[in-house]
Amino acid sequence: YIEEENWGKPNIVVILSESFFDVSNLNEITFNRDLTSNIHKFEKMDDVLVTNTYVSTFGGSSVVSEWEVLTSASNQFNVSSYVPYTDYYIKKNIKNINKAPHIIKSLNKEGYITKYITPWSGESYNSEETYNLVVANRTIYSLKGDKKGMFLADYEINNSIISELSKNKDTPKLLIYATAQNHMPCSYDRYDHYDVDITSSTLNKDDTKLIRCYAQGVYDADKELGKLYEEIKEIDEDTIVIFFGDHLPFINNKKLN
């Protein structure tokens, strides 16, 4: 893609949306509404690029996709259980990580504020130790707020993004977020209210309920992405938002069935 104008130094917001996948692509089941109406709207817009994304992990290990974003390297050549944060950086005690290319290093040099923010613990996959090695300006773990279902609601991620963008307005920012709302398990009693209903299904009753629970999370993620887009448009600074599913879902219930 060739852009003749200089992009300058826009804010960059990266959202690793927990297990986001348009489940309406499944042939076995249909829904009463478009689960990803905002993304489908974005497809027709000139200032948004929508495409399919392939990731090197399935059903978990979000941190592998996160590593690929940070380094532009692919994990597909490693064994499926290989996690660079723990199996390379930490285990080998890599102190010279900043000799290797990664996005935080590059943007720090350009005067960016670089932050990693997540509702998950810093101990998960040695995340906090790794981000200390890559010298992120700041990390925020165990982000608090309202839950929807079992985990932090996606709208709380939006609240945090807008709050962070309102700070130090004269300084460009890289904000990397990992979400949590649509993390497994997908037991039907997870939500008190459903916006998504099933209109037809060739799956058994239990599997249909699991899919409906997961579909509600997809619907919520898309809805919040649409709201975030509208709020970002009101910000004076140029801002790029990169949103993608970190892996395909492992759809199961509390008993791991």
Side-chain angles (χ1 to χ4, degrees):
Y1 176 75
I2 299 175
E3 171 60 65
E4 294 182 358
E5 295 184 10
N6 191 320
W7 281 38
K9 294 183 179 180
N11 297 317
I12 304 170
V13 180
V14 180
I15 304 172
L16 289 78
S17 183
E18 175 59 42
S19 67
F20 185 87
F21 162 68
D22 189 353
V23 72
S24 61
N25 288 322
L26 298 180
N27 295 325
E28 296 90 347
I29 195 165
T30 58
F31 302 92
N32 66 326
R33 61 178 66 228
D34 185 354
L35 301 181
T36 54
S37 60
N38 286 291
I39 289 178
H40 292 151
K41 179 180 68 176
F42 294 152
E43 288 178 328
K44 303 174 183 178
M45 299 169 63
D46 293 333
D47 62 343
V48 182
L49 173 65
V50 178
T51 184
N52 289 322
T53 301
Y54 295 89
V55 296
S56 295
T57 183
F58 170 78
S61 298
S62 305
V63 71
V64 173
S65 300
E66 189 178 306
W67 175 80
E68 292 186 328
V69 169
L70 284 175
T71 63
S72 296
S74 175
N75 203 49
Q76 64 178 322
F77 303 108
N78 297 318
V79 296
S80 60
S81 60
Y82 188 84
V83 177
Y85 282 21
T86 53
D87 295 331
Y88 182 67
Y89 296 141
I90 303 303
K91 187 175 292 185
K92 294 183 178 296
N93 196 26
I94 303 299
K95 298 301 183 183
N96 62 345
I97 184 176
N98 282 298
K99 292 181 179 179
H102 58 80
I103 191 173
I104 288 179
K105 171 186 174 181
S106 299
L107 293 181
N108 280 343
K109 288 182 177 179
E110 295 295 328
Y112 272 69
I113 295 173
T114 54
K115 293 186 179 182
Y116 175 69
I117 303 173
T118 179
W120 303 110
S121 165
E123 297 177 357
S124 177
Y125 294 103
N126 295 100
S127 176
E128 188 165 19
E129 190 171 352
T130 299
Y131 274 94
N132 286 336
L133 288 176
V134 301
V135 199
N137 295 158
R138 189 181 180 198
T139 55
I140 300 175
Y141 290 92
S142 303
L143 185 65
K144 304 299 183 184
D146 293 340
K147 293 182 178 180
K148 185 163 185 181
M150 299 176 65
F151 302 103
L152 187 74
D154 279 348
Y155 60 76
E156 292 288 12
I157 297 293
N158 279 11
N159 292 341
S160 177
I161 291 171
I162 297 302
S163 174
E164 292 293 336
L165 290 176
S166 69
K167 303 173 184 176
N168 305 107
K169 288 192 174 182
D170 294 331
T171 306
K173 305 168 191 67
L174 167 68
L175 307 175
I176 300 177
Y177 281 84
T179 76
Q181 180 180 321
N182 214 20
H183 197 278
M184 64 179 188
C186 295
S187 295
Y188 185 69
D189 59 359
R190 179 168 175 168
Y191 295 113
D192 295 328
H193 169 76
Y194 278 85
D195 301 291
V196 175
D197 202 356
I198 307 295
T199 55
S200 67
S201 174
T202 60
L203 304 174
N204 64 47
K205 183 178 180 180
D206 290 338
D207 288 346
T208 298
K209 286 184 175 181
L210 294 182
I211 294 292
R212 186 183 183 191
C213 176
Y214 174 76
Q216 179 65 45
V218 171
Y219 174 79
D220 286 343
D222 176 83
K223 179 176 67 175
E224 295 306 322
L225 179 61
K227 290 181 179 178
L228 179 64
Y229 175 81
E230 294 300 326
E231 292 184 77
I232 293 262
K233 286 200 303 184
E234 301 300 318
I235 297 175
D236 292 336
E237 296 84 7
D238 290 337
T239 302
I240 298 172
V241 177
I242 303 168
F243 172 96
F244 65 97
D246 50 2
H247 55 75
L248 289 173
F250 176 42
I251 301 176
N252 61 359
N253 60 20
K254 295 177 182 177
K255 296 180 180 179
L256 298 181
N257 294 325

